[in-house]
Amino acid sequence: MPPSVRFLPFLSWPAQWRAHGVRGDLVAGITVALVLIPQALAYAKLAGLPPQVGLYAALLPAVVAALFGSCGQLSTGPVALTSLLVAASIVPLAGLAGGDLLGLALLLALLSGLIQLGLGLMRLGWLLNLLSVPVLMGFVNAAALIICLTQVPPLLGLSMPHSQHLVLDFTQALGGLTAPHWPSMGFGLGSLAALVALKRLWPRLPGVPLVVATATALSAWSGFATSGGEVVGDIPRGLPLPSLPPPSPDLVAAILPAAFVVAMVSFMEAASSAKLICGRTRQPWRQDQELIGQGLAKISAAFTSGMPVSASFSRSALNYVNGARTGLSSLVTAALLVLTLLYLTPLLWHLPKPVLAAVILQAVAGLIDTGVLRRAWRASKDDGAAAAVTFLGTLAFAPNIQNGIFTGLILSLGLMVYRGMRPRAALLGLHEDGTYRDRERFGLPHPHPQLVILRFDSPLTFVTAATFEDAMLAAARAQDKVRTVLVSATGMNDIDATGLHTLAGLIERFHAQGQAIAFCGLKKQVIDAMERDGLWPRIAAQASYRTEHQALAALLPGLAASD
């Protein structure tokens, strides 16, 4: 790949247009715009921001992400999960910022974008892999449930207080059902039912724009706003004005942890879409380049009155299904948004807010996947515990849901270190298939009364050195007359200074006891480390064997001669 294309992916678009044409990009761009406009309004509401902020965030950020990202089918803009994180991050800091929620959202977009851009430029995208799938899915499922709880009251036309206790707020909001506003409830439940029916019965139809347009027309015709119903109201006409995040060190320090969570979670959402689409199109996906694209998109949102953005799984899938090949589809979508902001915003005045709640609920329902949590538990109790703790922690900390993912991240890393400290070590015996396997599992005898074979399935580092030492001492006592412990080291792919020190100490201790240590299957990188340390000349004579069979053929005659 030419360096220019590597750093400026949009330079590869003309070649793809010549090969596949531009019709797919044009159709996909128009289709996604029809869905994105009502979603952008809804997700701005979910973030606690004015509706036009969602439209602004879907404009320049989408163009920037398309130009500099590695996957042309990604549709970048406001998404439900990131919007919830925005609300959870900025609402608690409203007092510190003098009530300027938009300023906090701009600062959050800038910081999270800088984090992603920095990781991408330094080729450190692998750090995001520290967030395991069980932890991420535990968080996503809890966040989706929280979104549903926050949207049920507006769906029914009820007002919901916002405090530090989500369940109490939800319960208090439901108390309004004793005197419901029936038109609001009708719009909310009717729109949700229509969205679900269209998705199941006629999935190829653009359900969201159809329902939103119909509800808006009915609202205007019936006088919904004059009857006490809440509508979107006035959306400023025109393109977004340049903006500047508040340059307050105190605000930066307060919001930085949340910015890290937004950067991490939003990119995992983008990565899941990109991996799936690139796997189907057989196009290369470059994680670090996508970090750069998504980071620049967030930064552009910070300076154009937007909010933190990410790649939408549903809109990206819609982009792909409708034939998008390059980021031109996102440029077409942005062009339609420009037309909407310049000429069509008055048509959105009568859009009922319960309909926006229905749009959010219908979109977020697809995020709930309890099957992933069950599979994580079946695969590993540690993974299952990490997923469960993240899920429960996110619910418990709501609305400060970023604390939930921090809890799961710390737990999963702790469990990873704990598992790494206790690698598998097994004594081997000769199996009937001619290989040396776990003697305890298969009921195999030791290969010789004076020799045992220990297999150590881990690098020998400061994390595992104590376990290796204990296993070696136990192997030396496995039989009454053990004189040699043969270490099957095929699983030992690394050794550090602590491992070398431990091994040298064991060699001295075994020698003092009249015992010896031999090795088979040592890898080159381990031998190289031993040579640099000066340990290799002391053990080379009994450490150059490649297999257990070769080692026993050389060692057993010496043991027999000493009897």
Side-chain angles (χ1 to χ4, degrees), residues 344-397:
L344 303 180
T345 53
L347 299 179
L348 298 172
W349 196 96
H350 288 282
L351 174 58
K353 288 187 176 181
V355 177
L356 294 181
V359 170
I360 294 173
L361 283 169
Q362 190 265 341
V364 168
L367 295 177
I368 299 177
D369 183 4
T370 57
V372 173
L373 305 183
R374 290 195 299 270
R375 290 193 296 272
W377 184 265
R378 288 197 299 265
S380 167
K381 295 296 187 291
D382 288 349
D383 284 339
V389 168
T390 304
F391 178 83
L392 296 175
T394 302
L395 292 178
F397 284 116

Side-chain angles (χ1 to χ4, degrees), residues 196-493:
V196 173
L198 285 171
K199 185 175 182 179
R200 291 185 177 180
L201 302 178
W202 300 282
R204 301 187 69 87
L205 290 178
V208 172
L210 285 176
V211 170
V212 168
T214 302
T216 303
L218 284 175
S219 171
W221 174 77
S222 63
F224 174 69
T226 59
S227 68
E230 291 191 49
V231 296
V232 168
D234 184 50
I235 298 177
R237 183 184 296 187
L239 300 180
L241 297 175
S243 57
L244 184 67
S248 167
D250 292 339
L251 287 179
V252 170
I255 209 168
L256 190 58
F260 175 77
V261 174
V262 169
M264 182 168 54
V265 173
S266 66
F267 184 70
M268 295 298 288
E269 190 171 9
S272 64
S273 299
K275 288 179 181 178
L276 179 62
I277 292 172
C278 289
R280 292 180 177 178
T281 61
R282 299 184 180 180
Q283 294 175 332
W285 176 68
R286 292 177 288 132
Q287 176 174 265
D288 293 317
Q289 186 61 44
E290 201 61 56
L291 269 170
I292 293 173
Q294 292 291 313
L296 289 173
K298 288 181 174 63
I299 293 171
S300 67
F303 294 103
T304 54
S305 303
M307 56 185 278
V309 295
S310 182
S312 164
F313 189 87
S314 60
R315 295 196 303 268
S316 298
L318 189 63
N319 224 3
Y320 169 73
V321 168
N322 282 276
R325 290 279 181 174
T326 69
L328 176 62
S329 60
S330 293
L331 270 61
V332 172
T333 299
L336 292 178
L337 277 169
V338 168
L339 293 176
T340 300
L341 285 167
L342 290 176
Y343 304 110
L344 303 180
T345 53
L347 299 179
L348 298 172
W349 196 96
H350 288 282
L351 174 58
K353 288 187 176 181
V355 177
L356 294 181
V359 170
I360 294 173
L361 283 169
Q362 190 265 341
V364 168
L367 295 177
I368 299 177
D369 183 4
T370 57
V372 173
L373 305 183
R374 290 195 299 270
R375 290 193 296 272
W377 184 265
R378 288 197 299 265
S380 167
K381 295 296 187 291
D382 288 349
D383 284 339
V389 168
T390 304
F391 178 83
L392 296 175
T394 302
L395 292 178
F397 284 116
N400 300 312
I401 61 172
Q402 64 272 18
N403 296 333
I405 200 167
F406 274 131
T407 301
L409 178 61
I410 294 171
L411 177 61
S412 64
L413 292 178
L415 290 172
M416 181 186 70
V417 173
Y418 177 77
R419 289 195 300 266
M421 293 176 66
R422 311 179 83 79
R424 179 171 172 75
L427 297 177
L428 308 183
L430 182 62
H431 194 270
E432 61 183 15
D433 64 5
T435 62
Y436 283 89
R437 307 180 72 175
D438 187 338
R439 62 177 301 272
E440 182 178 349
R441 179 179 179 183
F442 295 100
L444 305 174
H446 286 291
H448 189 274
Q450 295 180 329
L451 183 144
V452 295
I453 304 175
L454 174 72
R455 187 183 67 212
F456 191 69
D457 297 330
S458 172
L460 182 52
T461 65
F462 73 97
V463 176
T464 62
T467 301
F468 177 75
E469 184 175 19
D470 292 342
M472 288 292 291
L473 296 177
R477 300 188 300 268
Q479 298 188 98
D480 292 336
K481 299 180 180 181
V482 172
R483 294 186 56 192
T484 300
V485 175
L486 173 62
V487 179
S488 177
T490 53
M492 191 184 298
N493 55 20

